[in-house]
Structure formats: structure tokens, C-alpha cells
Amino acid sequence: MRVEINLWELMGKNKMTALELSSLTWISPIQISKIKNWKTTKIELQTIAKLLEAFECSPNELIKIIK
């Protein structure tokens, strides 16, 4: 089982660039890139909360669990 953060889909759906998301959430563009490209193994709850607020979505829309 693996967990993925669904940033590609949410950014596309909201027509948002990484720089726009960065300015909205105060998450660095480098960190957004790492999350988006699954190059990180852990994400702080505060970061998840910022992404949920930015996209106005539920945790189920942001996080995918792949079996």
C-alpha cells in the first residue's frame, strides 16, 4: 500500500501553477515540486491543512491510498 498526494490533479482542476499555489499557501515552490512529483516521504500536518484550505477540498480529494 502507498499514499499519494493528488497535487497534479487538483492543480490542473483549479488551473493553478506551483508559483500561484506557493504564494497562496506560503509553501516553498521547491517543497510543492517535491510533493507534486512524489519525491518526499513525509509531509507535516500543517502543510496538508494549507493545501486543503487552498483547494477547498476534503482530505479524500487530496490524499489517495493505492493498494
Side-chain angles (χ1 to χ4, degrees):
M1 177 174 24
R2 72 177 198 257
V3 177
E4 293 182 356
I5 303 296
N6 198 22
L7 268 189
W8 278 109
E9 186 177 318
L10 289 171
M11 289 173 66
K13 182 179 172 183
N14 290 284
K15 297 180 179 149
M16 188 179 297
T17 66
L19 289 176
E20 290 170 333
L21 182 57
S22 176
S23 68
L24 186 63
T25 60
W26 292 86
I27 301 170
S28 75
I30 293 169
Q31 185 64 24
I32 289 172
S33 177
K34 286 180 180 180
I35 296 169
K36 184 173 72 171
N37 294 302
W38 305 304
K39 301 289 183 187
T40 188
T41 57
K42 58 184 173 179
I43 301 171
E44 292 186 22
L45 292 175
Q46 184 177 16
T47 301
I48 292 172
K50 288 178 182 180
L51 293 171
L52 292 172
E53 187 176 333
F55 291 118
E56 298 178 356
C57 67
S58 72
N60 290 336
E61 293 172 285
L62 179 65
I63 300 168
K64 284 186 179 180
I65 298 176
I66 311 296
K67 292 183 179 184

